[in-house]
């Protein structure tokens, strides 16, 4: 990547010699081909390379009660200062070092006092330091905040612009995933996105407390009301009941607004649902779905991890079964899987936000579970896949990427980046387990959305399985996980999510056998 960057800089700095330019052009395109980068329009390359270069990545894992290495601490402080230049380096370093996580845990277990602290992302709010305090989220009556409403509306506009950039018309219906913790970190920006798309805003009482929703008049909105199907994590449902009811009120108000179908897609679709399901308008206006009370997750991640699914439609079925509970204005859920399914059939695109540099879509399996599961359910209901987007608000500003672009970026900056995997491998056994998790999540994205490029599997195979030194290192640190990495890559080929060339496939099988042998060497003979 550094070599490519140097070539691009030479090309950009401009030479009048046509032959030299042609030569550079060829070298750049060759280098791009080596790196599985689509060279395309060379003038856009500097921006694309800069995005990879500036991407912040987690370095290793947090060790509870441990102090940060001075070098890691310096890099963390650099990132915090870049995000908020007004902060003071010495103070930040001192607050990082002042953590008393173990002491606080012991006090909590003793049932005594643990001092409070705001929760959230370090780059958004330095007040979360020192760690080892009792996280308090928020004042539930003030979410979404005024700031979050402005930010959410701008982000909703960016999402619409990105979708239409691909030549599509304005979407009539968008399905999104909302998480609780992310809304706490952003004071409700993602909730505000849903409201903005619907053309609604929160209504506050005389004390400034959240009291419900109200519609933004169409002439003020300046575009049609876009229908939104929201699937909430169980954590969101537990943490933010007022906001759950507020979104339900917004879809209800839009449903009964005296507006034409071409200006109000919510009403248009509610009337269609009413006819199809022979139900009342209140039922037809339901757009907020989550688990049954007391249940969490779509379990799509468990199917993928267990490798037990035969047909990808099973993943969609699991998602609908788990998330098919509609939450209306009363806040009491009803099982309406049929309604969820017919609403997803009308969806033009799906998306979820990223809210912290610590968590990407390949780091944990909950993104595949919620967004992947939903995207697969949309594909099944529509009979064709819909674009999947990721709204990245982690590094100041907002960037809307396709899911494919996000996986590309994370694979380059995390999985294939020695800085990332060496940081993980310092943790030994657990580090290999994290690498295994990334491979499983990558396959999960293929299973649910088919948006993973073949080179991703090829390079992961080369780096972690086909490289003999690395394979031996992983097997030494964690025999089970290293064997599973190879098995998972083979599973991807068996499921035809990736079709490598014959040599790669043969090498993978041989490496997998080697890892199995090493693993069995550990099992005592019976
Ligand atoms: C949530 O905050 O809603 C959430 C966090 C992690 C995984 C899933 C959901
Ligand atoms: Mg879980």
């Amino acid at each position: 990547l550094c070599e490519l960057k140097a070539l691009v800089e030479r090309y950009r700095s401009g030479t009048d010699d046509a032959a030299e330019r042609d030569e550079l052009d060829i070298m750049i395109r060759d280098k791009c081909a080596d790196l599985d980068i689509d060279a395309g329009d060379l003038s856009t390359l500097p921006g694309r390379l800069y995005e990879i270069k500036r991407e912040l990545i987690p370095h290793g894992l947090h060790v509870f009660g441990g102090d940060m290495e001075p070098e890691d601490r310096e890099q963390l402080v650099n990132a915090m200062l870049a995000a908020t230049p007004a902060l003071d380096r010495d103070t930040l370093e001192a607050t990082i070092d002042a953590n008393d996580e173990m002491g606080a845990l012991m006090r909590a277990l003793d049932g005594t006092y643990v001092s409070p602290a705001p929760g959230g992302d370090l780059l958004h709010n330095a007040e979360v330091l020192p760690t080892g305090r009792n996280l308090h989220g928020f004042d539930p009556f003030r979410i979404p905040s005024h700031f979050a409403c402005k930010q959410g509306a701008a982000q909703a506009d960016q999402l619409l612009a990105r979708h239409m950039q691909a030549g599509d018309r304005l979407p009539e219906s968008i399905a999104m995933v909302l998480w609780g913790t992310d809304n706490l970190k952003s004071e409700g920006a993602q909730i505000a996105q849903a409201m903005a798309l619907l053309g609604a805003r929160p209504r506050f009482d005389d004390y400034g407390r959240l009291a419900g929703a109200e519609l933004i008049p169409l002439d003020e909105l300046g575009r049609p009301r876009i229908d939104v199907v929201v699937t909430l994590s169980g954590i969101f449902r537990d943490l933010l009941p007022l906001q759950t009811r507020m979104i339900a009120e917004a879809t209800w108000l839009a449903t009964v607004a005296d507006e034409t179908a071409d200006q109000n897609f919510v009403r248009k679709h509610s009337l269609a649902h009413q006819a199809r399901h022979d139900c009342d308008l209140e039922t037809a206006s339901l757009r907020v779905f989550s688990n049954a009370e007391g249940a969490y997750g779509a379990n799509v991640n468990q199917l993928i991890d267990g490798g037990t699914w035969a047909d990808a439609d099973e993943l969609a079925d699991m998602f609908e079964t788990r998330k098919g509970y509609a939450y209306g204005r009363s806040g009491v859920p009803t099982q309406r899987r049929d309604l969820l399914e017919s609403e997803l059939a009308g969806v033009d695109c799906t998306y979820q936000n990223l809210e912290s540099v610590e968590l990407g879509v390949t780091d944990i399996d909950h993104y595949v579970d919620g967004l992947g599961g939903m995207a697969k359910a949309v594909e099944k209901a529509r009979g064709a896949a819909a674009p999947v987007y990721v709204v990245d608000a982690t590094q100041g500003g907002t960037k809307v990427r396709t899911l494919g672009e996000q996986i590309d970026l994370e694979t380059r900056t995390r999985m294939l980046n020695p800085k990332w995997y060496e940081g993980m491998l310092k943790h030994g056994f657990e580090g290999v387990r994290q690498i295994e998790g990334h491979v499983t999540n990558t396959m999960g994205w293929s299973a649910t959305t088919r948006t993973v490029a073949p080179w991703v599997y090829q390079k992961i195979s080369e780096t972690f399985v086909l490289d003999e030194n690395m394979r031996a290192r992983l097997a030494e640190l964690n025999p089970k996980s290293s064997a599973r990495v190879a098995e998972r890559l083979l599973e991807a080929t068996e499921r035809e999510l990736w079709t490598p060339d014959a040599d790669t496939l043969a090498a993978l099988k041989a490496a997998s056998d080697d890892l199995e042998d090493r693993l069995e060497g550990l099992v005592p003979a019976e």
Side-chain angles (χ1 to χ4, degrees), residues 5 26 80 83 109 118 131 143 151 243 280 392 466 470:
K5 182 164 166 280
I26 292 169
M80 293 178 74
L109 292 174
T131 53
I143 283 190
Q151 191 186 19
Q243 289 69 16
D280 56 36
D392 178 352
L466 303 183
M470 183 60 93

Side-chain angles (χ1 to χ4, degrees), residues 296-297 299 301-302 365-366 369:
Y296 302 83
N299 289 359
N301 52 359
Q302 293 179 15
D365 63 6
H366 303 82
D369 190 49

Side-chain angles (χ1 to χ4, degrees), residues 178-182 233 235-236 364 366:
L178 283 179
W179 280 6
T181 46
D182 282 2
S233 72
I235 295 177
F236 182 110
I364 52 175
H366 303 82

Side-chain angles (χ1 to χ4, degrees), residues 184-419:
L184 302 193
K185 289 177 193 166
S186 65
E187 298 177 354
Q190 296 103 42
I191 297 167
Q193 291 164 13
M195 296 293 278
L197 291 166
L198 292 163
R201 60 190 160 214
R203 179 164 50 79
F204 294 95
D205 69 13
D206 292 344
Y207 299 100
R209 292 180 313 191
L210 183 66
E214 65 188 19
L215 292 183
I216 298 168
L218 282 174
D219 52 359
E220 187 184 330
L221 186 61
R223 58 156 166 80
R225 299 187 195 286
I226 290 159
D227 202 355
V228 182
V229 185
V230 186
T231 59
L232 308 177
S233 72
I235 295 177
F236 182 110
R237 175 220 37 217
D238 291 350
L239 284 176
L240 296 158
L242 287 176
Q243 289 69 16
T244 303
R245 298 207 306 266
M246 174 187 71
I247 301 170
E249 188 180 345
T251 63
W252 161 253
L253 291 174
T255 291
V256 296
D258 183 12
E259 294 165 350
T260 57
D262 63 332
Q263 286 300 304
N264 182 337
F265 301 136
V266 187
R267 177 171 169 78
K268 177 181 169 182
H269 301 154
S270 291
L271 293 174
H273 295 318
Q274 187 181 30
R276 188 174 319 134
H277 294 281
D278 191 21
C279 61
D280 56 36
L281 209 48
E282 180 94 41
T283 303
S285 77
L286 296 169
R287 295 291 187 280
V288 184
F289 294 85
S290 187
N291 299 84
E293 275 171 329
Y296 302 83
N299 289 359
V300 172
N301 52 359
Q302 293 179 15
L303 286 180
I304 289 166
D305 190 42
T308 49
W309 54 283
D311 184 316
D313 281 351
E314 289 169 33
L315 306 174
D317 283 336
M318 182 62 95
F319 179 85
E320 286 172 4
T321 304
R322 296 283 297 175
K323 293 285 178 186
Y325 293 79
Y327 286 71
R329 291 192 289 163
S330 71
V332 180
T334 47
Q335 206 275 74
R336 289 309 304 244
R337 185 191 156 145
D338 56 335
L339 201 58
L340 173 64
E341 197 175 329
S342 69
E343 287 175 11
L344 292 180
V347 159
D348 296 301
C349 62
T350 61
Y351 83 102
Q352 184 169 357
N353 289 264
L354 288 183
E355 199 49 47
S356 164
V357 293
E358 287 177 68
L359 296 179
V361 300
T362 53
D363 287 318
I364 52 175
D365 63 6
H366 303 82
Y367 288 106
V368 174
D369 190 49
L371 181 60
M374 186 172 74
K376 188 67 209 173
V378 166
E379 184 193 331
K380 181 168 160 260
R382 279 178 22 137
V388 186
Y389 299 103
V390 171
V391 174
D392 178 352
T394 61
Q395 290 192 55
T398 297
K399 174 109 193 187
V400 182
R401 299 193 188 93
T402 63
L403 177 63
E405 289 166 352
Q406 182 67 30
I407 291 169
D408 182 306
L409 182 64
E410 287 184 20
T411 302
R412 289 180 199 284
T413 58
R414 288 166 143 93
M415 270 299 258
L416 302 179
N417 180 353
K419 254 193 188 164

